[in-house]
Amino acid sequence: MNKNFHIRKVAVLGAGVMGAQIAAHLVNANVPTLLFDLPAKEGEPNGIVNKALDGLKKLEPSPLASPAKIVFIAAANYEQHLEKLRDCDLVIEAIAERMDWKSDLYHKVAPFLGAHTIFASNTSGLSINKLAEAFPEKLRHRFCGIHFFNPPRYMHLVELIACTGTEASLLDHLEAFLVSSLGKGVVRAKDTPNFIANRIGVFSLLATQHHAESFNLGFDTVDALTGRYLGRPKSATFRTLDVVGLDVFAHVVNTMRENLTEDPWHKYFELPGWFNYLVGQGSLGQKTKRGIYQKIGKEIHVLDLHTQEYRLSETKIDDEVKEILRERDWAKKLAGLRRNQHPQAQFLWATFRDVFHYCALQLESIADNARDLDFAVRWGFGWDSGPFEIWQAAGWQQVAGWIAHDIKTGKAMSDVPLPAWATDETRVGVHIAQGSFAPASNSYQPRSALAVYKRQPYPDRLSGEPVQYGETVFENDAVRMWHTGDNIAILSFKTKMHAISNEVLDGILRAVDEAEDHFTALIIWQTEAPFSAGAHLLQLMQGVQEAAGAPSAGLMDKFKGAANRVKYTIAGGGGLGEIVNAAAGNVPRVEDVVAKFQQVSQRLRYAQVPTIAAVYGLALGGGCEFSMHCTRIVASLETYIGLVEVGVGVLPAGGGCKEMALRAANEARYLSGGVGGDIFPHLKRYFQNIAMGEVAKSAEMAKEMGYLKPSDRIVLNQYELLHVAKEEARALTATAYRPPLQQRQIPVAGRTGIATLKAAMLNMIEGGFISEHDYNIGCRIAETLCGGDVDAGSLVDEQWLLDLERKNFMELLATQKTRDRVEYMLKNGKPLRN
């Protein structure tokens, strides 16, 4: 294989759900892709693929980082286009899980593969070695398994599986491509049925189902117990089955039953009668709009096992069990569940016990070490902590003793004893600083030494792995400034959801001063997502009440308690989580804080050293404004960025409106060759983004919407953000960086632009699309973006626009309807449209 390894073009064979979405993610990574399927029996020969491509446009969440990406997927069929495979560096087979169908396809395409083409199967559990037997022997050194998880864009895990003849260097090159180019977490799996994640994840689902039946718990109760309380997705257990598809799950279980006949838990690899009943009548889950759950109108109904009819879904968790589940210490949580005699508690302990037991017994046969098993389950099934992590956090010896006792007394699903390594009295866990336990060698294996991982200074870590985020420059309750021994400073926020409080503002200003005095660049990077959920709302409202002299009736009392439970959901974007801290300290005057917001943005823009925002996850409101004012943004593909202030009845006043007006003017000037141009078409787009609170659902979309500039960088692997941000900082420094000159002659759309935007909004009021208060907010956004009551084409400076921003923000905040919106957000975690 060549020293320099490049994937220039990829072909995906099979335009089903997985094949089409794998193709979508490849073009997300700017890899041109051919999508193959059978020729259509009638009409356009590529009809099957074209239909799949149309389907991609309708899926939510979108497999495509931008709708524009779809043009880079070329449709192809096996009768007309096999010659095109010769130009592909990688071919991924993703057809149905039938060994005979896959074998036939391999014989068909093998003669058309290029001299160095890698061929991989996306099988979810069929033997890679058996599949390889259908591949020409002389090509088997370029054959392997690449198992993506559904949906491929969003699920971090890819399992990489070798056959006996796979060339070792090929796997290393592929791993680097998957990690860095596609942004994945790669686990090397052994060639055993269902590999690692599905083997453990499916057993966990089967054990959950088994114990739910034993303790007579309904599907909705089980889902209430096994979701976020356990650090797992909200879809929990049975909702997950509906999302995956009951037919898909049935296939995976059948694979285990047929191929794992010696497994001590083999008798449990069966599907219950109710499951077969649903599949038999075509109720396969989300894709057929009915499965274990069914949505009727706005209500969620669930199958009742006793009547086999659907009933209204209810979530009834015992109060004592709920208190145990709220415990964050795994030792106390598991001890509490095991001790409590309520069926819900006993159900949960039994499920944990049997999953731990299964993982311990199967580890050596399915994975190289405990780290690979835990990461596979975390990345493939969305658990916050892997099984071994939970066991270790709860006290290894204590839990091992409980499991051994339950096995001895016949309570466990299998009577096979724990392996000797798991009951070793000296063991404190399987993850330590030196690595993770590998049963085959009875040693601790360090992480991969592949060069690609040097791009991850702080990779996803496991319980038991220490981490030290550099050397502190200064630290307080709001922020920490630090470095890693080089001359680049890093600033991280410490507030909940990295909300921007007055103290955070002070911290950023101090950090810029320190960076100018002692470093060559400043990077804002959070040690965990999100980047920032925006302004500290509770502190803001306390400032409003202080400034007003007296709070509205009971307003601040209403905020107590509610503040720590805030959940704000953006359509399709996910939860913001808790963004406020009820224990706010000193409350400054609001206008002073708004002015300081603007000062911070300008300081980031005009600092004497480059400033880099390394963004992953949510960057909303003030988080978006600060990012846009940095010299560069380095954003993960999964960045959700936007100016959402309209949701609480105000407008962006941390420089966001000013920045959009400035960008519109610069775009008009650029397109007209530097001599002016019509600002309004550019301004109209930014007005819509702000007035509608539009959030970009990827970094690619953020570029198209104008939140990111063409010079900003997009990184697919979130764990490479800091590395790329540092490289960007060094590149800027190498060119003798100077901050941009402040623009003092910014052309604005003036009163003509304001009138045009108002007219459009009046039509929306008449159509019932917006409220009168929405109109009021929109008018103030229009006034700010258009530069106020001046002639079209008038020249203003940045301070003029910042003053307009601040004035309109304060006037909106003085209205009762805006205060109602803020109060509603704090209490309910979602926007009020009043």
Side-chain angles (χ1 to χ4, degrees):
M1 186 164 288
N2 295 334
K3 181 180 179 182
N4 291 331
F5 177 80
H6 299 288
I7 299 287
R8 299 172 180 84
K9 183 184 286 188
V10 175
V12 178
L13 309 183
V17 174
M18 279 301 288
Q21 291 195 65
I22 291 170
H25 192 59
L26 285 162
V27 296
N28 287 341
N30 295 330
V31 180
T33 302
L34 292 168
L35 182 58
F36 277 81
D37 212 298
L38 295 166
K41 294 179 179 178
E42 297 179 359
E44 161 65 37
N46 291 331
I48 294 174
V49 175
N50 289 333
K51 183 178 179 180
L53 295 177
D54 287 339
L56 287 176
K57 301 172 187 176
K58 301 170 187 175
L59 285 176
E60 285 293 339
S62 176
L64 295 157
S66 162
K69 290 284 187 180
I70 201 164
V71 301
F72 299 106
I73 304 176
N77 67 76
Y78 301 127
E79 281 192 7
Q80 296 177 303
H81 305 119
L82 288 179
E83 282 289 344
K84 294 184 177 183
L85 292 175
R86 299 191 194 280
D87 299 327
C88 296
D89 301 294
L90 172 64
V91 175
I92 300 173
E93 169 268 304
I95 68 169
E97 293 286 86
R98 285 270 302 266
M99 187 74 74
D100 54 340
W101 290 0
K102 290 178 186 287
S103 296
D104 289 345
L105 181 62
Y106 296 177
H107 288 298
K108 188 181 189 83
V109 303
F112 297 92
L113 298 178
H116 301 288
T117 302
I118 299 166
F119 193 94
S121 175
N122 181 58
T123 178
S124 60
L126 297 180
S127 169
I128 297 300
N129 279 297
K130 285 186 179 178
L131 288 171
E133 290 174 7
F135 210 62
E137 188 173 357
K138 64 180 180 180
L139 301 180
R140 287 179 196 168
H141 65 288
R142 290 189 271 125
F143 182 83
C144 65
I146 297 179
H147 180 211
F148 290 84
F149 274 67
N150 190 26
R153 171 184 164 185
Y154 300 98
M155 297 306 292
H156 192 57
L157 178 65
V158 170
E159 291 176 316
L160 194 57
I161 314 103
C163 69
T164 53
T166 307
E167 189 177 316
S169 62
L170 175 146
L171 288 175
D172 292 346
H173 288 313
L174 266 183
E175 184 164 350
F177 169 73
L178 292 165
V179 169
S180 204
S181 297
L182 299 190
K184 297 304 175 186
V186 172
V187 167
R188 300 276 185 107
K190 295 183 179 182
D191 187 22
T192 55
N194 290 345
F195 311 126
I196 302 174
N198 276 342
R199 181 76 172 271
I200 301 302
V202 170
F203 177 82
S204 175
L205 290 168
L206 289 170
T208 303
Q209 182 273 322
H210 168 76
H211 290 303
E213 187 174 333
S214 299
F215 290 98
N216 195 29
L217 301 181
F219 299 125
D220 44 355
T221 299
V222 170
D223 281 348
L225 291 166
T226 59
R228 291 309 301 156
Y229 280 125
L230 302 186
R232 299 178 191 174
K234 289 181 181 178
S235 58
T237 301
F238 294 108
R239 286 185 189 275
T240 296
L241 293 183
D242 270 358
V243 172
V244 169
L246 302 191
D247 54 336
V248 174
F249 182 71
H251 170 78
V252 178
V253 173
N254 288 337
T255 300
M256 292 176 71
R257 182 174 63 252
E258 292 169 5
N259 295 285
L260 294 170
T261 55
E262 301 303 314
D263 191 303
W265 286 264
H266 182 265
K267 67 180 180 180
Y268 298 103
F269 301 161
E270 295 285 349
L271 296 168
W274 61 262
F275 193 102
N276 292 321
Y277 165 76
L278 287 175
V279 173
Q281 64 175 0
S283 299
L284 304 180
Q286 189 170 279
K287 59 189 172 186
T288 59
K289 302 189 184 302
R290 187 170 71 171
I292 298 168
Y293 290 90
Q294 180 181 16
K295 189 172 185 180
I296 301 175
K298 293 185 178 180
E299 295 179 339
I300 303 298
H301 290 242
V302 63
L303 184 71
D304 189 300
L305 274 178
H306 300 291
T307 65
Q308 291 202 337
E309 300 290 337
Y310 287 91
R311 60 167 173 79
L312 188 65
S313 176
E314 299 174 316
T315 55
K316 297 177 181 177
I317 301 180
D318 176 74
D319 289 341
E320 286 188 17
V321 174
K322 189 178 292 186
E323 284 304 307
I324 296 170
L325 290 174
R326 285 175 175 162
E327 175 60 61
R328 296 193 175 188
D329 185 318
W330 276 109
K332 294 179 180 177
K333 182 179 288 189
L334 289 189
L337 292 174
R338 187 170 188 271
R339 183 171 55 246
N340 191 291
Q341 292 305 304
H342 193 281
Q344 293 177 359
Q346 288 300 297
F347 153 75
L348 286 168
W349 160 247
T351 304
F352 273 115
R353 174 199 64 218
D354 289 313
V355 170
F356 292 158
H357 186 191
Y358 193 78
C359 289
L361 199 72
Q362 302 296 349
L363 174 61
E364 183 171 353
S365 65
I366 67 173
D368 289 333
N369 54 62
R371 175 178 53 251
D372 288 350
L373 187 148
D374 273 345
F375 275 148
V377 175
R378 278 173 48 175
W379 296 341
F381 281 79
W383 293 20
D384 291 349
S385 302
F388 286 132
E389 286 184 283
I390 296 170
W391 183 349
Q392 180 168 325
W396 189 273
Q397 291 298 325
Q398 175 76 282
V399 174
W402 290 340
I403 297 170
H405 175 271
D406 282 7
I407 294 171
K408 187 176 181 180
T409 56
K411 294 180 180 179
M413 290 170 68
S414 170
D415 60 2
V416 178
L418 286 168
W421 66 262
T423 56
D424 182 345
E425 293 181 356
T426 64
R427 182 168 305 287
V428 295
V430 290
H431 305 302
I432 62 174
Q434 290 73 33
S436 293
F437 183 70
S441 59
N442 195 33
S443 64
Y444 288 87
Q445 287 187 357
R447 285 175 177 257
S448 170
L450 288 179
V452 69
Y453 293 109
K454 293 178 182 177
R455 296 170 58 86
Q456 298 184 16
Y458 299 100
D460 199 358
R461 65 190 180 95
L462 294 162
S463 173
E465 288 186 312
V467 61
Q468 174 58 45
Y469 292 106
E471 183 177 334
T472 301
V473 177
F474 75 86
E475 183 174 12
N476 54 40
D477 290 341
V479 301
R480 176 175 179 253
M481 185 180 184
W482 52 287
H483 66 88
T484 58
D486 52 21
N487 53 10
I488 298 173
I490 303 163
L491 184 71
S492 302
F493 301 172
K494 295 171 62 180
T495 50
K496 190 165 290 187
M497 293 298 288
H498 304 133
I500 301 165
S501 62
N502 186 52
E503 295 74 24
V504 169
L505 297 176
D506 289 335
I508 298 174
L509 291 173
R510 179 178 172 185
V512 175
D513 289 342
E514 291 276 358
E516 287 181 331
D517 289 344
H518 303 293
F519 297 90
T520 60
L522 174 65
I523 296 172
I524 302 177
W525 176 77
Q526 315 298 6
T527 58
E528 58 185 20
F531 180 76
S532 175
H536 192 308
L537 279 185
L538 183 62
Q539 192 180 71
L540 173 70
M541 282 309 294
Q542 288 174 322
V544 170
Q545 300 309 324
E546 183 186 75
S552 62
L555 178 63
M556 298 318 296
D557 287 337
K558 293 178 184 177
F559 291 162
K560 290 179 181 178
N564 282 327
R565 297 191 300 273
V566 167
K567 300 286 180 192
Y568 171 34
T569 301
I570 296 172
L576 282 187
E578 299 174 11
I579 62 173
V580 291
N581 180 351
N586 177 46
V587 181
R589 291 185 66 248
V590 174
E591 189 165 4
D592 292 343
V593 175
V594 176
K596 192 184 292 184
F597 251 99
Q598 295 179 334
Q599 179 190 0
V600 168
S601 290
Q602 294 296 87
R603 197 75 179 87
L604 289 168
R605 166 66 50 80
Y606 297 111
Q608 294 302 306
V609 295
T611 56
I612 313 288
V615 184
Y616 169 62
L618 301 168
L620 303 175
C624 175
E625 290 174 298
F626 290 167
S627 300
M628 291 193 300
H629 281 82
C630 285
T631 313
R632 288 282 189 277
I633 297 175
V634 176
S636 163
L637 182 72
E638 299 309 325
T639 290
Y640 306 91
I641 186 169
L643 299 170
V644 297
E645 286 83 352
V646 67
V648 288
V650 293
L651 52 72
C657 288
K658 178 272 302 179
E659 183 62 20
M660 297 291 94
L662 181 59
R663 291 188 182 190
N666 287 339
E667 288 166 12
R669 185 182 295 121
Y670 174 78
L671 290 175
S672 64
V675 292
D678 186 1
I679 302 164
F680 190 76
H682 307 281
L683 201 65
K684 181 180 178 182
R685 175 176 66 134
Y686 292 128
F687 170 80
Q688 181 175 332
N689 288 346
I690 296 173
M692 301 299 291
E694 296 282 357
V695 175
K697 295 181 183 178
S698 72
E700 288 283 358
M701 290 295 292
K703 275 197 174 183
E704 294 173 14
M705 294 170 70
Y707 292 130
L708 268 63
K709 301 188 295 291
S711 57
D712 292 328
R713 309 298 181 197
I714 297 176
V715 179
L716 270 82
N717 196 314
Q718 69 199 65
Y719 299 106
E720 294 185 354
L721 266 183
L722 185 57
H723 167 81
V724 177
K726 283 192 171 189
E727 292 299 306
E728 194 70 16
R730 292 187 181 104
L732 288 163
T733 303
T735 57
Y737 175 78
R738 294 285 304 168
L741 297 171
Q742 290 202 34
Q743 296 195 34
R744 306 188 187 281
Q745 293 189 322
I746 304 166
V748 293
R751 62 178 71 90
T752 303
I754 296 171
T756 305
L757 293 173
K758 282 185 175 180
M761 287 190 291
L762 283 171
N763 288 334
M764 295 185 73
I765 280 188
E766 291 175 4
F769 297 107
I770 63 173
S771 68
E772 288 189 9
H773 195 50
D774 289 327
Y775 175 77
N776 182 21
I777 299 166
C779 288
R780 293 177 182 277
I781 295 169
E783 179 187 350
T784 306
L785 288 176
C786 295
D789 188 16
V790 297
D791 292 336
S794 295
L795 301 177
V796 302
D797 61 13
E798 289 186 58
Q799 192 58 50
W800 173 274
L801 293 170
L802 290 170
D803 291 343
L804 272 175
E805 216 180 56
R806 194 170 65 255
K807 173 185 83 73
N808 280 301
F809 180 93
M810 294 305 300
E811 289 177 359
L812 282 170
L813 203 56
T815 67
Q816 187 59 47
K817 287 194 173 182
T818 283
R819 295 189 189 189
D820 290 343
R821 287 194 179 192
V822 177
E823 177 182 354
Y824 190 86
M825 176 68 75
L826 283 166
K827 287 176 62 180
N828 301 291
K830 55 186 178 182
L832 169 69
R833 291 297 183 188
N834 56 349

